[in-house]
Amino acid sequence: MNSIRKWSWLVIVVTVFSMVLMAGCKGGIAGSNNLTAANAPLTVKVLDVGQGDAILIRAKDQVVLVDTGDVPAKDELVKMLKSQGITTIDKLIITHPHADHIGGATAVLQAFTVKQIYDSGQKTTSNLYKQYLTQIQKKSIPFTVVSAGMTIDLGSDMVLTILAPDKSPITGSEADLNNNSIVAKLVYQNFSMLLTGDAESESEARMLKKDASTLKSVVLKSGHHGSRTSSSVPFLQAVSPEAAIISLGANNEYHHPHPSTLKKYQDKKIAIYRTDKDGTVTVSSDGKNYTITKER
Ligand SMILES: [Zn+2]
């Protein structure tokens, strides 16, 4: 082989190798990576459940579900979880008792062994909420009301830090149930993701006032389905995420996400993922790097 040919081969080999490396790299805290949902110790799936939230966290040793989507998606949610090989949910977190967050709770409680519930402590008069409570009582599932300052240990160096609600709830806002949503920061070494439920600007302001530095996160689950009542500028400044994931249904009646919210993300060069267009969005991390992949 003459030297020109040798060099050509070297260039081809190096190019192909770089392409393979880059194919798995959608985002990284540092350097390139080839993390996938299959090999990462931590995956967070913002599930496509139409209009609503259902977020599946798979830590090394634990399965955590944050919210359960709305009623029309409940069978689909159970199917999605079963297709992941899940039979037990170690922790079910209900951010607040609106239908698009507790709609699938009863179906989930019937289909899986749920070991522990974490709840915002907010009560409503809806039948859905009553059925959720009845099911928990029937199955004698431990029920913990969480508040800011608590931590939920997921093992293997992964932890959920609760940032809201406070023990004294927000009152007199236009959407108190939303504003007293559980807000939890998932931390795994250098990776972090802020799960906001439907917390709106009043809750954001309270968290900012208390300790803005704790909000900084690599990925943000967009508050309240990308509504304009969440993602206030000072809040985004403090969180300063590289990517935001919006959970919402296509052509939803609330017209989420609001164009002004999308514009704020674009102005800050935050990568936008949305379940209505991308399907289920999966974040995988090894604590150093992370990858975000889309279902479609
Ligand atoms: Zn909602």
Side-chain angles (χ1 to χ4, degrees), residues 51-53 96 98-101 178 197-198 221 224-225 247 256:
Q51 184 62 25
D53 270 16
H96 67 296
H98 274 151
D100 57 326
H101 298 254
N178 285 349
D198 280 357
K221 196 292 292 182
H224 195 204
H225 320 286
S247 185
H256 293 147

Side-chain angles (χ1 to χ4, degrees), residues 14-199:
V14 168
T15 309
V16 169
F17 188 62
S18 323
M19 282 166 74
V20 167
L21 268 183
M22 283 172 72
C25 177
K26 293 257 166 57
I29 303 158
S32 62
N33 65 77
N34 53 4
L35 276 169
T36 65
N39 68 18
L42 174 69
T43 61
V44 182
K45 281 181 182 288
V46 181
L47 299 169
D48 177 16
V49 288
Q51 184 62 25
D53 270 16
I55 299 157
L56 175 67
I57 303 171
R58 300 203 75 169
K60 221 169 171 186
D61 310 311
Q62 292 193 29
V63 174
V64 181
L65 183 65
V66 182
D67 289 333
T68 61
D70 207 338
V71 178
K74 66 181 170 49
D75 295 333
E76 186 59 29
L77 173 66
V78 168
K79 213 171 100 188
M80 279 193 258
L81 297 174
K82 283 190 174 165
S83 74
Q84 302 275 318
I86 291 167
T87 53
T88 298
I89 293 167
D90 296 280
K91 295 172 168 73
L92 173 62
I93 299 172
I94 297 293
T95 62
H96 67 296
H98 274 151
D100 57 326
H101 298 254
I102 61 163
T106 302
V108 165
L109 290 167
Q110 279 166 348
F112 303 95
T113 303
V114 176
K115 289 189 180 168
Q116 169 83 49
I117 312 262
Y118 294 95
D119 187 280
S120 69
Q122 303 191 89
K123 294 175 175 64
T124 62
T125 54
S126 73
N127 279 335
L128 267 179
Y129 177 71
K130 284 178 200 155
Q131 285 160 9
Y132 155 74
L133 281 191
T134 305
Q135 198 64 227
I136 292 166
Q137 279 156 3
K138 214 169 98 186
K139 292 185 175 268
S140 308
I141 303 169
F143 183 93
T144 304
V145 172
V146 301
S147 57
M150 281 177 62
T151 54
I152 301 172
D153 186 17
L154 306 185
S156 312
D157 213 10
M158 302 170 195
V159 70
L160 281 163
T161 302
I162 307 299
L163 304 180
D166 281 343
K167 275 196 175 127
S168 62
I170 290 172
T171 54
S173 75
E174 275 186 28
D176 286 349
L177 284 181
N178 285 349
N179 270 313
N180 293 303
S181 284
I182 294 176
V183 177
K185 182 176 170 180
L186 171 63
V187 180
Y188 176 35
Q189 297 169 5
N190 294 334
F191 174 78
S192 52
M193 179 164 173
L194 193 62
L195 305 169
T196 51
D198 280 357

